[in-house]
Amino acid sequence: MNAKLFGAAVFALATLLFNPGWAQEAPEVDRTSTGGAQTLEDIMARQEQLKVDESFRSENLGDPASAAPIDEPLGTLGGRSQPDIWRGVRYNEIDTSTQVRGPAVDVLIQDGGMPWYELRRGPVITYGGGAILGFLLLLVVFYFVRGRIRIDGGPSGTKIERFKAIERFGHWLLAGSFIALALTGLLTLMGRSFLIPVIGQEAFSPLAIGSKWLHNNIAWAFMLGLVMTFVMWVAHNIPNKLDWHWLKAGGGIFTKSHPSAKKFNAGQKIIFWTVMILGFSVSLSGLSLLFPFEMPMFASTFEVMNSVLGTDFPTALAPHEEMQLSNIWHSIVAFLMMLAIIAHIYIGTVGMEGAYDAMGDGQVDLAWARQHHDLWVEERQAKQGRGESP
C-alpha cells in the first residue's frame, strides 16, 4: 500500500504539473440572464478544465412538492422535468435500475473521457517522448565528451565468473520482456499520431491489435523476471557506506578514479531499486487495466491518502475512472523506467569496455572486475581459497 500511496501522490502532482488548469477555479458567472441555467461561460470553463461550482445544476433536480396532478400533462414525471432527471443522472443523485447484468452497467454518464484523452495524447506523449529523445541526445554528447570507459592497462586475458546461468536468465527475461513492452506500448500510445499518417489506417489496425495482444501477454514474463531478479539480488543491493564514497567519486564515470565496490556498486543499486519500485508500480497499474472490475487501484489509494494527508480525492470511482487513472499512471511510470533502462543499456554496452560480458556469457575479465568491483573479487578469491562455493 505504501508503494500505491507514493504512486498516487506522484500521479496527482504530475497531473497538476501537466495540466495546471485543473488546479484553477473558474471565475464566478452571472446567470441572472438565463434564469439560473448554465451559460456559455460555464461550458467554456469546463472545456478548459477549470474548476466550476456546479451547485446551480447539481442541486436543481426538481421538486416533488410542485408535481402536477397525475391526470394532467407532465404529472407522471412527479415534479421533475426531463432535464431535472438527466441532471440527477449526471450527479448521481437518482436511483437507477437496469435489466442488464454486468459491472458498471448502471453508469449512464461518465464525463472524464475527454480530460483523460487530452492528457494522454497531449502532455503524456509530449513530455514522455521528449524526455526519451532528449536523454538519448544527452548520452550521445556524453559519449563523445567522455569516451568509453576502458580497462586500465587493457584486458588481462584471465576470466572470472560474474553471473551464473540462472541470474543471466532472470536478467534477460526481465530486460527482453521490458524492451518488448516498451516498443508495443509506445506503438499503442503514439501510433495513431505518428504512424497512421505514414502507413495509413488499414496497415496500422492489425499492427495496433497485434501490439496490444503482445503487450498484454508479455507482461506476465516481465513480472516473473521482476520477481526472479528481486529474489536473487536484493541481498546484494542493500545500501551501505561504500555507496556514499562511490557516489562522491562519481563512480569513475566522470573521472578516472575507481572507487571500491562489492558485487553491485551504488549506480547499479540505484538502477536495481528504480526498476524494482517502478516495475512493481507499473505491474499494479497493468493488472488494474487487465482486470478493471476485479483489481481497482486508485479508490483505495485515494482513501489512504485522504486519511493520512487530509486531501479530498474521490474514493467512489467508476471502473471507467479507475482505468483512466491507471492508464495515465501506467504510461508515466513506463516512461520513467525507459529512461533508467536506456542509461543501464548505455553503460552495459558502448559506455564501458568489458561490461557486456557479465550478462553475455557470465565471464568477465579479471582486470575489469578488479577495476570496478575489487571487494567482490577479494571475497570470491577468499572463498575459493577456503574451498567454499563462490
Side-chain angles (χ1 to χ4, degrees), residues 174-257:
L174 181 63
S177 60
F178 179 78
I179 291 173
L181 289 171
L183 293 176
T184 54
L186 288 173
L187 192 148
T188 303
L189 179 65
M190 301 181 175
R192 181 176 292 276
S193 301
F194 295 98
L195 288 182
I196 288 181
V198 177
I199 65 177
Q201 293 180 342
E202 292 185 359
F204 176 74
S205 177
L207 186 62
I209 294 172
S211 293
K212 182 179 182 300
W213 185 88
L214 287 172
H215 195 89
N216 291 347
N217 287 280
I218 293 176
W220 303 108
F222 171 80
M223 287 184 277
L224 176 60
L226 194 71
V227 172
M228 287 185 63
T229 50
F230 178 82
V231 171
M232 290 187 296
W233 292 337
V234 65
H236 299 287
N237 281 278
I238 305 301
N240 55 52
K241 63 181 181 180
L242 285 174
D243 300 328
W244 174 239
H245 297 299
W246 190 95
L247 290 172
K248 286 195 299 183
I253 297 175
F254 304 98
T255 65
K256 298 295 183 179
S257 64

Side-chain angles (χ1 to χ4, degrees), residues 13 64 72 103 123 136 177 235 249 306 317 319 352 356 366 385-386 388:
L13 177 61
E72 290 187 10
L136 288 172
S177 60
N306 292 342
L317 299 174
M352 179 181 291
Y356 178 79
L366 185 59
R386 295 192 299 267
E388 300 177 11

Side-chain angles (χ1 to χ4, degrees), residues 374-390:
D374 55 332
L375 299 180
W376 170 73
V377 174
E378 292 176 6
E379 290 177 355
R380 292 253 322 174
Q381 292 178 337
K383 287 184 179 181
Q384 289 176 343
R386 295 192 299 267
E388 300 177 11
S389 176

Side-chain angles (χ1 to χ4, degrees), residues 129-146:
I132 290 178
L133 293 177
F135 193 57
L136 288 172
L137 179 61
L138 181 64
L139 287 178
V140 171
V141 173
F142 180 78
Y143 177 80
F144 283 106
V145 172
R146 172 62 173 86

Side-chain angles (χ1 to χ4, degrees), residues 11 124 181 185 215 219 222 278-279 281-289 297-298 323-336 338:
F11 168 78
V124 172
L181 289 171
H215 195 89
F222 171 80
L278 296 184
S281 181
V282 83
S283 297
L284 282 180
S285 57
L287 288 170
S288 183
L289 289 170
M297 175 179 169
F298 279 90
M323 291 187 72
Q324 289 158 3
L325 291 169
S326 294
N327 177 266
I328 295 298
W329 180 245
H330 194 75
S331 302
I332 293 173
V333 175
F335 274 121
L336 294 175
M338 288 182 212

